[in-house]
Amino acid sequence: MNTQPMYATTSRNPRSQWVKNLTESHSWIGVIISPLLFVIFWAGAVTLFYEEVKQWAIVPQFPVAIEQTKMPLQQIVEDKLAQHDFDYEEHLMVQMPSEHDPYYKVFLDLVREEGMEDEHGEVVSLLIDPNTGASVANRDDFFLGDFIYRLHYDLNLPGGTYLIGIISLFFFFALVSGVFIHAKKLFKHFFLYRNDKNRRDQLLDLHNVVGVMTLPFTLMYALSGLVFNLAIVYQIAFVVFIYQGDQDTLFKDAGFTLFDEPRIEQSIDMSNAYTIIEQARQQPDFYLRNVIFYNYGDESAIIQLRGNDLANFSQKDEFFYRVNTGELLNKTDIENYNVFRKGREIIATLHFGDFAGVDVRILYFILSVAICAMIVIGNMLWLDKRTLQQNVSPRNISIVRGLTLGGCGGLIVATTVAFFVERVLPAGMQARADYLIASFILTLAMAIVLSYSISNKRRYLTQMIMLSCLVLTATIAADWYLFASEIIQLTRQGFYGIVGVEIGMLLMIISGLYIVRKLSHLPSQQSLSLQPVS
């Protein structure tokens, strides 16, 4: 958020100088973090509909008939164990079907190669039809939703989590400094938008109004981003200074139970585990999300059940059972919760809008897109001011202009291209996910490079928006050309996420065309701060 002061001041008293210095810090920090901050909020906006995007990508490829009789989970799991070289020293996880995702997902750790015993082995992630037990695909082949989600929390880069945490820290400072800068006129100018003034005043008012109205939302995101992405910092501090290096005790006090027992090497029938699972699935206020098996098929076998308590806000329940005896070893529920873990779950629920239905997520999406616009407007204000003052080199101004136009605009184009590629690539294609990632990166890189080489920036911006609209239109057309009958049938069965994503695309197309129309009617002197310095 790169807010400029609402009024100019020539006073040299200490308070005025303090506000001026704070404004400069706010402005520079905002423009430095703006490219990555835009990525975080744009990817976060799409990630709000992660489950719907996954449903849109996968389910039409492999429709599931809900009315059919489901195959027993035990038969599915043991068939997969027989088909793969599973490492029984590792755990096995099964993610249960949901209203968005009708498949079982089975994650198997394979036996390590000779000489690689000290490293983690390959993990196979299977999408399984619940009716037939057939492995329809590898879960990682349909990578769009996960790619954008990872872009949100670690930029798909090594160490990206910490970088996002640092960005969150600076973003928090930008928010607080913006409040201090406008403290006197925060409420007086809350809805001020000077439509009859010059373009810079209009942009400034728009930036300020969006900044004030989204302040509770942005503060929540900044603080929760710090908690999630820089947790390792205070975790290390706690381990070293408070727990004297005892990490297991730290995890226990934080509410994370670990059962790392050796195998006894005495086989047992695992039917009791599936009886416990089925009983959990029948509980009216408990939604079972996944099951983890430890020491599968051994007398020491333990199962871990994770799910949501539907009767309480942001309550994640967890149960550990001894398979052989059915004994409950440990539980975390509304009556037995850990304060640290409960607090983190509440923050996560607020962060992802995972409460009160789709309405809240739509509101979060609108606010996230508004913040993306605020970031771009802040950069435009910065460019206006620095160009007029001529106190920043033309090269630095060119870099900011290129990143604002090519980086932010290119990210949107790259996202639409990724959606199109996800839809049209054949389901069984080798390295399918790699092609999707390559299409995204190549589109983004081309957009940034072209932004530095094209002189008419406004026309280039218009062309990028039009390209995004065309790609989204092609994606919707491909949907119905390839899967018209499947989409209709799935919608009748209650899988509304597919049509929901298409409606979202259609609204983005309409919004894009509206912006193009407004840009085409702008006077030539109102060039959105995107023309090169003369």
Side-chain angles (χ1 to χ4, degrees):
M1 187 169 71
N2 310 318
T3 312
Q4 304 298 327
M6 282 186 176
Y7 53 89
T9 177
T10 57
S11 174
R12 296 191 179 183
N13 63 65
R15 187 183 181 283
S16 297
Q17 187 61 38
W18 177 79
V19 172
K20 182 179 179 181
N21 293 338
L22 190 63
T23 302
E24 284 293 303
S25 300
H26 175 92
S27 179
W28 277 101
I29 287 175
V31 80
I32 290 170
I33 69 173
S34 62
L36 293 182
L37 194 62
F38 188 95
V39 173
I40 294 168
F41 273 98
W42 174 254
V46 179
T47 298
L48 288 167
F49 299 96
Y50 171 86
E51 294 292 349
E52 287 80 1
V53 170
K54 293 288 284 186
Q55 182 184 126
W56 169 84
I58 301 174
V59 179
Q61 304 268 9
F62 312 104
V64 171
I66 295 181
E67 65 274 7
Q68 290 186 12
T69 303
K70 289 181 170 56
M71 179 178 287
L73 178 58
Q74 182 172 6
Q75 183 179 346
I76 290 175
V77 171
E78 295 186 351
D79 284 350
K80 301 311 163 188
L81 290 175
Q83 295 167 11
H84 296 83
D85 192 13
F86 176 62
D87 185 354
Y88 284 87
E89 297 289 337
E90 297 289 346
H91 65 270
L92 180 157
M93 187 171 78
V94 178
Q95 188 170 323
M96 312 303 285
S98 70
E99 59 178 329
H100 295 293
D101 192 346
Y103 312 101
Y104 284 109
K105 298 184 182 71
V106 176
F107 300 84
L108 302 173
D109 289 73
L110 302 186
V111 173
R112 302 173 183 85
E113 297 179 5
E114 187 175 351
M116 307 286 288
E117 288 81 2
D118 294 334
E119 300 182 15
H120 198 286
E122 180 185 355
V123 177
V124 174
S125 52
L126 305 173
L127 284 176
I128 299 173
D129 188 313
N131 300 318
T132 65
S135 299
V136 297
N138 190 314
R139 176 182 177 275
D140 295 334
D141 289 342
F142 297 88
F143 195 55
L144 177 62
D146 295 296
F147 175 75
I148 296 177
Y149 175 48
R150 291 193 59 184
L151 197 66
H152 171 67
Y153 78 82
D154 70 357
L155 302 173
N156 282 284
L157 295 174
T161 301
Y162 309 126
L163 179 58
I164 295 296
I166 294 170
I167 296 297
S168 299
L169 181 62
F170 282 110
F171 179 51
F172 180 71
F173 172 80
L175 294 173
V176 174
S177 61
V179 171
F180 275 105
I181 291 168
H182 300 297
K184 281 190 173 182
K185 298 188 177 182
L186 191 64
F187 296 101
K188 181 180 179 182
H189 289 178
F190 187 85
F191 289 108
L192 177 64
Y193 181 73
R194 293 168 285 188
N195 191 46
D196 58 338
K197 299 296 183 180
N198 60 53
R199 181 185 61 82
R200 187 177 184 279
D201 286 340
Q202 293 174 11
L203 291 176
L204 180 58
D205 292 342
L206 183 60
H207 182 82
N208 293 336
V209 167
V210 172
V212 172
M213 295 187 69
T214 62
L215 188 60
F217 178 74
T218 49
L219 281 173
M220 181 272 293
Y221 263 124
L223 291 172
S224 58
L226 284 172
V227 171
F228 295 144
N229 294 87
L230 291 183
I232 188 65
V233 175
Y234 52 78
Q235 179 181 318
I236 292 174
F238 283 2
V239 169
V240 173
F241 297 107
I242 299 178
Y243 287 87
Q244 303 297 314
D246 189 351
Q247 187 171 346
D248 290 341
T249 303
L250 169 64
F251 284 147
K252 183 177 179 180
D253 289 347
F256 298 99
T257 306
L258 301 175
F259 282 92
D260 188 16
E261 298 183 2
R263 292 178 64 87
I264 300 175
E265 301 300 340
Q266 294 183 11
S267 300
I268 61 169
D269 181 8
M270 292 291 290
S271 297
N272 194 39
Y274 295 96
T275 301
I276 295 172
I277 293 170
E278 191 57 34
Q279 290 172 351
R281 297 179 77 174
Q282 299 304 319
Q283 294 296 318
D285 292 328
F286 179 68
Y287 171 61
L288 181 63
R289 292 184 293 115
N290 56 57
V291 180
I292 301 176
F293 296 87
Y294 300 89
N295 296 332
Y296 192 94
D298 190 77
E299 192 172 343
S300 62
I302 294 172
I303 58 168
Q304 177 183 358
L305 308 183
R306 292 175 176 172
N308 298 340
D309 182 347
L310 304 179
N312 296 281
F313 176 76
S314 186
Q315 177 60 43
K316 305 291 192 297
D317 290 351
E318 183 178 74
F319 305 92
F320 289 84
Y321 291 91
R322 178 80 64 187
V323 174
N324 195 25
T325 62
E327 175 190 2
L328 177 63
L329 301 177
N330 189 74
K331 67 177 179 179
T332 300
D333 56 16
I334 192 63
E335 297 177 353
N336 301 273
Y337 65 86
N338 176 275
V339 174
F340 174 85
R341 184 169 177 175
K342 179 65 176 179
R344 192 178 188 279
E345 288 170 355
I346 291 175
I347 292 173
T349 299
L350 294 174
H351 187 92
F352 293 104
D354 191 18
F355 61 97
V358 72
D359 299 350
V360 170
R361 289 187 287 141
I362 292 174
L363 177 61
Y364 271 36
F365 180 85
I366 294 171
L367 291 172
S368 297
V369 172
I371 293 167
C372 290
M374 183 181 68
I375 293 168
V376 173
I377 292 170
N379 280 13
M380 290 159 58
L381 290 168
W382 186 91
L383 288 167
D384 266 353
K385 182 177 180 181
R386 305 302 164 180
T387 301
L388 290 173
Q389 293 179 344
Q390 297 183 347
N391 60 351
V392 177
S393 69
R395 180 182 178 184
N396 289 338
I397 290 176
S398 177
I399 291 173
V400 174
R401 183 180 290 109
L403 286 176
T404 301
L405 179 63
C408 299
L411 182 68
I412 296 174
V413 178
T415 303
T416 63
V417 169
F419 269 81
F420 178 75
V421 171
E422 177 77 334
R423 173 51 73 228
V424 299
L425 286 182
M429 184 177 182
Q430 291 291 327
R432 190 177 187 277
D434 294 337
Y435 284 105
L436 184 144
I437 296 171
S439 70
F440 181 94
I441 295 174
L442 182 61
T443 303
L444 179 58
M446 289 178 60
I448 294 174
V449 171
L450 289 173
S451 70
Y452 289 105
S453 59
I454 294 177
S455 58
N456 193 326
K457 305 298 183 182
R458 186 171 61 177
R459 180 182 297 174
Y460 181 54
L461 176 61
T462 302
Q463 291 171 345
M464 282 201 298
I465 297 174
M466 282 299 300
L467 178 59
S468 298
C469 293
L470 288 173
V471 174
L472 288 177
T473 303
T475 304
I476 296 174
D479 259 359
W480 288 93
Y481 176 76
L482 296 171
F483 306 110
S485 60
E486 289 85 350
I487 291 173
I488 293 172
Q489 184 63 31
L490 289 166
T491 303
R492 289 174 177 171
Q493 293 181 357
F495 293 101
Y496 302 117
I498 303 166
V499 175
V501 171
E502 290 179 341
I503 292 174
M505 292 181 188
L506 184 60
L507 292 175
M508 294 299 291
I509 292 170
I510 295 171
S511 301
L513 294 176
Y514 174 78
I515 294 171
V516 167
R517 181 174 178 273
K518 296 293 288 185
L519 287 174
S520 64
H521 287 84
L522 276 179
S524 59
Q525 66 269 25
Q526 293 193 19
S527 55
L528 297 175
S529 300
L530 297 175
Q531 299 300 338
V533 181
S534 58

